[in-house]
Amino acid sequence: MDDRVSVSISEGVADVRLVRADKMNALDAAMFEALVATSDRLSREKGLRAVVLSGEGRSFCAGLDMGRFAAMKQSGGNGIAGNATRDLTTRTHGLANFPQQAVWGWRQLPVPVIAAIQGVAFGGGFQLALGADMRFLAPDARMSIMEIKWGLVPDMAGTPILASLVRDDILRELTYTGRIFSAQEALAYGLATRICDDPRAAAFEVAREIAGKSPEAIRAAKRMLNNLSADPGPALLAESVEQQKLLGSPNQTEAVRANIEKRAPRFADV
């Protein structure tokens, strides 16, 4: 786990870092395992008051590892987030499946989580940022709901969270196009909490402020705020059902091939 995610705790604040900087902290099978294991560990950590989630190097998280997509080209589109035989519709962690838990686990933590984002947060990396209670972005940070590029839909718990943050037509436009948007746009859309010259420093400042408040009241507030939204269970399952139908389909495989071969895709009509 330490070769993908590092954790240190000081005065009740956990410093959680993605440590795959040479790959822009891209999500491979080991990263998924480490994220799920880390949120599970922190859920049982006594004295925890707040969490800062960040990525080392020049980016927060570039999304799924390109090696996963190359493997999909060879295998017919299976096995994006680890085990190629995993049934996405199986609920492995309460309401969530295993890939969703890499994001949903941060939402479930009993204490606030602040994501500090520099560089890019694309696809699965963007959804990971959504798992946090707050998102502090560097001025030049960029984001994208990029799954459509690969013939897929967001399936890491992003949709129920996005529905509570973004106007419906904006959400649809970003999902249908996969376009990259700026930190300033993210702030206008409701996807960024703040734009900061040093998002990690700002995140720790707020985390320490939270750590100075009554821990019982903070945990009660997070439970209460998590319960404001509609039941996320159907949305989480719908993500998995739709993604499972797309994975390995002819048009999804063609999207992967076209991107890797750097050509326009040739999709079959449906």
Side-chain angles (χ1 to χ4, degrees), residues 107 130 133 135 160-167 189-191:
R107 205 73 171 177
L130 292 174
D133 296 70
R135 284 156 294 282
I161 302 172
L162 282 164
S164 69
L165 296 173
V166 184
R167 211 173 69 195
Y189 297 155
L191 294 168

Side-chain angles (χ1 to χ4, degrees), residues 67-194:
R68 306 301 303 170
F69 289 114
M72 287 169 63
K73 181 186 174 186
Q74 301 299 322
S75 66
N78 293 311
I80 285 184
N83 187 342
T85 62
R86 181 174 280 141
D87 180 357
L88 294 180
T89 64
T90 300
R91 306 294 89 182
T92 59
H93 293 74
L95 297 176
N97 66 19
F98 184 82
Q100 288 171 332
Q101 187 64 14
V103 171
W104 198 247
W106 305 100
R107 205 73 171 177
Q108 289 181 309
L109 276 187
V111 301
V113 179
I114 307 171
I117 300 162
Q118 82 287 4
V120 303
F122 289 165
F126 172 63
Q127 292 184 81
L128 177 59
L130 292 174
D133 296 70
M134 292 165 269
R135 284 156 294 282
F136 291 3
L137 273 61
D140 59 351
R142 295 174 297 149
M143 292 178 150
S144 171
I145 306 174
M146 197 168 274
E147 284 76 8
I148 197 69
K149 175 180 179 179
W150 303 99
L152 298 170
V153 293
D155 73 327
M156 289 172 55
T159 51
I161 302 172
L162 282 164
S164 69
L165 296 173
V166 184
R167 211 173 69 195
D168 181 74
D169 60 329
I170 296 293
L171 174 55
R172 290 170 186 265
E173 187 244 331
L174 295 176
T175 302
Y176 297 158
T177 66
R179 73 171 174 86
I180 297 169
F181 54 96
S182 68
Q184 291 72 25
E185 288 174 296
L187 186 65
Y189 297 155
L191 294 168
T193 309
R194 297 184 188 178

Side-chain angles (χ1 to χ4, degrees), residues 214-253:
S214 164
E216 289 175 305
I218 290 293
R219 289 174 179 238
K222 182 155 183 177
R223 287 194 301 270
M224 181 178 65
L225 294 171
N226 279 353
N227 286 332
L228 286 178
S229 57
D231 177 12
L236 291 172
L237 182 58
E239 283 188 346
S240 304
V241 169
E242 296 296 345
Q243 192 79 308
Q244 188 126 305
K245 288 189 290 186
L246 290 169
L247 280 167
S249 65
N251 276 342
Q252 194 268 320
T253 304

